[in-house]
Amino acid sequence: MSTTTLERPVRTVAARVERPEPPSALSASLTLGWRSVLKIRRIPEQLFDVTFQPVIFIVMFVYLFGGAVSGSTTEYLQFVLPGILVQTVVMASLYTGISLNTDIGKGIFDRFRSLPIWRPAALLGALLADGIRYVVAAVVCLGVGMAMGFRPDGTVADVVAACLLVLVFAFSLSWIFAFLGLVMRSAGAVQGVSLLAMFPLTFASNVFVDPSTMPGWLRAWVDVNPVSQLVTAVRSLMAGAPDAGAVGWSLIGCAALVAVFAPLTVRAYRRKA
């Protein structure tokens, strides 16, 4: 029997087999997001900054400065815990850019480019997977605070709403760091620039002290600082008396961040990948 005769049935069978449809954008994003989750399972040290850092900050600021600032560590804990919750989750968002820059440097995204999937799926999957880090940070902050005596006046629904607002803000902010991770040359540079931007946002705010005692020029910045607006919103929600203005401005800030930096990040990703 000739080779041509043998090849005909094989070609016939191959022709009858339908190619699977490429995955949807959502499916591809979730699959690649799960890849990022598996990285956390293999390297749990990635969670050190969202597990140990909030513990250190809460204990240090409450017991070192609580008496001097509020006259009572218990009163200061009620004031500072929502702020540290915001600070911890927001600072966790800069890991997105570092991780993206590292993966691109290793050539991993070159492999994704060869797959028949929606091109930005790897980018969106990484952003979604970092939501787990934000949830861990929020749970640790609240757990440590409750163990030390923090008691929100609001209901459980109020506390959950406050945490969700922080998570949404962190996701929106992560687009900036993702953009930096795509345009900068090294992970070290991404980390340095990100921290340089985060320190005035988190420390020059109302996270740790009431801005009424600050100099006028500094208070002017604190009043318009988006992190200050977010902290005010979270405090009001946990107190059971939502500040509609602060909540509204926080949501507007989230929408503005995504509207500006999501297209820039996707465009930079398409060029890079």
Side-chain angles (χ1 to χ4, degrees):
M1 186 179 295
S2 65
T3 305
T4 305
T5 305
L6 291 173
E7 288 178 352
R8 287 176 181 172
V10 175
R11 290 177 180 176
T12 303
V13 173
R16 292 176 181 175
V17 176
E18 296 183 0
R19 291 184 178 182
E21 295 183 2
S24 65
L26 177 61
S27 176
S29 299
L30 293 176
T31 300
L32 292 174
W34 179 246
R35 166 188 170 270
S36 298
V37 175
L38 293 178
K39 286 171 60 180
I40 297 176
R41 289 178 56 187
R42 296 193 185 101
I43 311 175
E45 297 91 330
Q46 295 179 14
L47 295 178
F48 279 6
D49 62 327
V50 294
T51 51
F52 290 102
Q53 178 180 309
V55 175
I56 294 171
F57 268 65
I58 293 172
V59 173
M60 181 178 67
F61 277 95
V62 169
Y63 290 117
L64 286 181
F65 305 114
V69 175
S70 297
S72 166
T73 55
T74 302
E75 291 182 8
Y76 188 62
L77 177 63
Q78 294 294 124
F79 173 83
V80 80
L81 185 86
I84 293 180
L85 168 64
V86 170
Q87 183 198 42
T88 301
V89 177
V90 166
M91 292 193 72
S93 64
L94 62 83
Y95 176 81
T96 302
I98 299 172
S99 177
L100 281 173
N101 188 279
T102 301
D103 283 347
I104 290 173
K106 292 180 179 179
I108 294 176
F109 281 87
D110 291 334
R111 302 176 187 177
F112 293 154
R113 183 174 55 183
S114 64
L115 298 176
I117 59 175
W118 184 51
R119 183 63 65 85
L123 173 63
L124 183 58
L127 291 168
L128 293 174
D130 279 344
I132 294 178
R133 294 168 48 80
Y134 308 152
V135 172
V136 171
V139 170
V140 170
C141 282
L142 287 175
V144 173
M146 296 291 285
M148 292 174 60
F150 175 74
R151 296 295 182 269
D153 294 328
T155 63
V156 174
D158 293 328
V159 175
V160 171
C163 292
L164 288 176
L165 181 60
V166 177
L167 297 182
V168 171
F169 187 89
F171 173 78
S172 304
L173 191 65
S174 66
W175 284 100
I176 298 179
F177 301 120
F179 177 73
L180 292 177
L182 291 169
V183 300
M184 304 201 76
R185 298 183 180 181
S186 68
V190 176
Q191 183 177 15
V193 172
S194 300
L195 287 174
L196 185 64
M198 288 302 300
F199 273 105
L201 283 173
T202 54
F203 285 95
S205 68
N206 61 353
V207 168
F208 300 105
V209 295
D210 186 342
S212 61
T213 60
M214 298 179 182
W217 59 269
L218 180 58
R219 184 174 179 179
W221 157 250
V222 172
D223 288 341
V224 298
N225 186 343
V227 171
S228 295
Q229 295 292 330
L230 178 61
V231 172
T232 300
V234 171
R235 284 190 178 127
S236 67
L237 286 168
M238 289 191 174
D243 185 330
V247 173
W249 278 114
S250 297
L251 293 174
I252 291 172
C254 293
L257 287 172
V258 175
V260 173
F261 283 96
L264 290 176
T265 304
V266 172
R267 183 188 220 176
Y269 177 75
R270 290 181 184 277
R271 290 180 177 178
K272 181 75 70 171

